[in-house]
Amino acid sequence: MKLHAPLFPVHVVMGAQRALEQLAAPLAGLRTALVVTPDGFKIAALQHSELNIAKLAAMSSSLVAMGRAVGGELAFTDCRRLVFEAEQGVVVVQPVAAAFPSLLCFVLGPDAVLGRALWTMGEVTQALRNIR
């Protein structure tokens, strides 16, 4: 059985893509930026690497689900962001509460500044929230 991505209104896809291109693209060290559905399907992407976008979208959803499960066990009520750090770079995934809920994922190279990336994610998140 093959799963198909849910259909989103064109203005949502275009707005998400525009947010990535205008706000995320200038970020130094950004390899990939994704906006995905909570169940792991791509809405928009900005890619500067050869990563498999479909797999990364699905894994972003799984990471947030795991983070929420761990948080539930610890009585942490809100998963704001997950950060995965390795020598080769950093992956950050955060939920976006908006009219069209989504997850925002940044894959950063080792040359990226994490604080700047988190600030940029905040800007992209606000732009996503403004899509109606």
Side-chain angles (χ1 to χ4, degrees), residues 51-75:
L51 296 174
N52 182 320
I53 295 296
K55 283 184 180 179
L56 183 58
M59 288 187 286
S60 295
S61 173
S62 296
L63 283 170
V64 170
M66 288 175 51
R68 286 181 172 150
V70 170
E73 289 297 316
L74 300 171

Side-chain angles (χ1 to χ4, degrees), residues 39-61:
D39 54 347
F41 291 100
K42 179 187 92 163
I43 297 171
L46 180 67
Q47 192 168 8
H48 300 297
S49 66
E50 297 298 318
L51 296 174
N52 182 320
I53 295 296
K55 283 184 180 179
L56 183 58
M59 288 187 286
S60 295
S61 173

Side-chain angles (χ1 to χ4, degrees), residues 2-132:
K2 185 174 180 174
L3 297 176
H4 296 281
L7 295 178
F8 276 85
V10 173
H11 77 279
V12 173
V13 175
M14 300 277 292
Q17 189 66 42
R18 187 171 38 257
L20 294 179
E21 290 171 359
Q22 291 177 353
L23 301 170
L27 180 63
L30 179 70
R31 291 186 180 167
T32 301
L34 288 175
V35 178
V36 304
T37 64
D39 54 347
F41 291 100
K42 179 187 92 163
I43 297 171
L46 180 67
Q47 192 168 8
H48 300 297
S49 66
E50 297 298 318
L51 296 174
N52 182 320
I53 295 296
K55 283 184 180 179
L56 183 58
M59 288 187 286
S60 295
S61 173
S62 296
L63 283 170
V64 170
M66 288 175 51
R68 286 181 172 150
V70 170
E73 289 297 316
L74 300 171
F76 292 179
T77 58
D78 188 19
C79 177
R80 293 185 193 149
R81 175 182 305 127
L82 293 169
V83 179
F84 174 85
E85 293 184 67
E87 188 173 324
Q88 298 80 7
V90 178
V91 177
V92 184
V93 184
Q94 70 181 44
V96 177
F100 296 92
S102 60
L103 304 174
L104 177 60
C105 175
F106 277 15
V107 179
L108 308 165
D111 56 328
V113 176
L114 183 57
R116 180 66 188 131
L118 297 178
W119 179 269
T120 300
M121 289 183 88
E123 292 176 328
V124 173
T125 296
Q126 189 57 49
L128 295 173
R129 287 183 179 143
N130 289 336
I131 299 171
R132 304 269 179 228

